[in-house]
Structures are given as C-alpha cells and as structure tokens.
Amino acid sequence: MPDTSEDVVSVLTERIEERFQMPLADLRRAVEEAPQADAEATALVHWHGLLTDTQQALDTAEDALVEALGTQLCDALDGPVMELAHQVNSAVASRDGRAMVVNYLLDPNAPGKRGPGAWRGASPAVRRAPALPTSPPTLPSARNPTARGAAR
C-alpha cells in the first residue's frame, strides 16, 4: 500500500510541473536566477520547499514514534511516547496546512483570485476604498438612565 503522506507531496509536485511545463528542479533554478520574473512561480517554489521540509520532519517524527512504540512494554503510553505522538500530530497539521497553501496557489479559481493579474495586487480603485465604514463611532449621551429594577 502506498504511503499517502508522500502522495500529497508527489501529487502537488506533479501539478506544479504540469502548470509550468517543466520539472520542479528546473523551475526552482529558474526562480533562483530571476525571482521577480514570475511571482506565482516564486511563491509556489517557496511553499513547495516548506511543504517538503515539513514532510521530512513528519517522516522523522513518525519513525521515532514507531521505534518508541516497538520498545513499549505495557499497554499505557508513557510521557515520552505521548510527546512523540503529539509531534507527529503537529507535523501532520503543518504538512496539511502547507499543502493547502500550495493547492490554493495552483487554483486559478480560488476565492480571492481574479485571473492572471491577481498576482500584481488589487486595482487602484479597490486599494483606495475602505473595506468597512470608517466614520467615528457615536458616543453615548451624557445622561445615564437608571438601570431597570434599580431603586429611584
């Protein structure tokens, strides 16, 4: 049975290579030579690197946990083994979060993207308009009515 954790990285790697029509190693070299040439490629190479680093950390944590479980003599897990289990859980969460970022960057129809020009930022009109009304809040009146049920 294939290791599904490795499949996450390999599937995303294949999607990046398909998107840019070149092997990831060549894309990485192109980004290193000219990082400003294509912001999308630069972001994807950066996040893919973070993803692979996290996958390596996950593999190491899983190996340590399996080794510790193999030496465990009783049914109850002791503190060090539980700590290793928590490290694995944290590494899985990190890996999955980074995979989500790579997946988002690859999706041209993801929320917040408006096509190829989206990498250059919002239009000037959008940048000028406030996101929320910015009028100052209305201060309460100086008169303070007594609370309900309070003695008058």
Side-chain angles (χ1 to χ4, degrees):
M1 182 171 154
D3 181 6
T4 56
S5 62
E6 291 294 330
D7 289 344
V8 169
V9 175
S10 62
V11 165
L12 290 172
T13 301
E14 288 174 20
R15 288 185 58 205
I16 292 169
E17 291 174 344
E18 182 179 305
R19 163 73 180 82
F20 291 96
Q21 295 296 302
M22 66 174 64
L24 187 62
D26 293 347
L27 181 62
R28 191 175 291 120
R29 277 191 295 280
V31 164
E32 287 173 3
E33 290 173 11
Q36 304 302 323
D38 187 337
E40 182 181 15
T42 301
L44 277 164
V45 166
H46 170 76
W47 280 98
H48 186 273
L50 294 175
L51 173 62
T52 56
D53 290 347
T54 305
Q55 182 61 53
Q56 290 171 353
L58 172 58
D59 292 343
T60 301
E62 286 176 333
D63 291 345
L65 178 60
V66 168
E67 184 179 325
L69 288 171
T71 61
Q72 191 78 24
L73 298 176
C74 63
D75 290 338
L77 299 179
D78 61 4
V81 174
M82 284 303 294
E83 179 58 34
L84 289 171
H86 289 302
Q87 287 176 9
V88 169
N89 284 338
S90 293
V92 167
S94 276
R95 190 270 325 269
D96 290 350
R98 289 173 177 184
M100 287 172 44
V101 171
V102 172
N103 198 39
Y104 171 81
L105 293 172
L106 284 167
D107 184 0
N109 298 318
K113 291 188 175 180
R114 296 176 312 281
W119 288 97
R120 289 188 284 274
S123 69
V126 171
R127 285 192 302 252
R128 282 192 301 265
L132 299 172
T134 56
S135 59
T138 307
L139 297 175
S141 64
R143 196 180 78 173
N144 189 2
T146 58
R148 279 188 219 163
R152 292 186 174 182

